[in-house]
Amino acid sequence: MEEFESMTKEELIMELMKARIAEARLKKGYEVKGDGSVILYGKENTK
């Protein structure tokens, strides 16, 4: 909680955006690692 209290408004908005993007990716069944060049798909999405 202390980490968020020390952030600026812009930093909080960026963290919120990252969390929402991660949530949407989890719903679709994939995960991005590192700089975004590696995408891991869940077993249910691979054919």
Side-chain angles (χ1 to χ4, degrees):
M1 190 67 177
E2 292 175 11
E3 177 184 354
F4 296 121
E5 290 174 347
S6 66
M7 290 181 165
T8 65
K9 181 178 179 179
E10 290 79 19
E11 290 172 326
L12 288 170
I13 290 170
M14 289 301 295
E15 289 299 316
L16 178 61
M17 288 173 44
K18 287 179 189 178
R20 288 188 176 175
I21 290 168
E23 180 183 5
R25 286 179 175 157
L26 288 173
K27 286 180 182 178
K28 291 187 176 210
Y30 70 93
E31 180 180 359
V32 177
K33 293 285 186 175
D35 62 358
S37 62
V38 177
I39 299 174
L40 304 174
Y41 292 91
K43 292 179 183 176
E44 63 275 352
N45 290 342
T46 57
K47 295 182 181 181

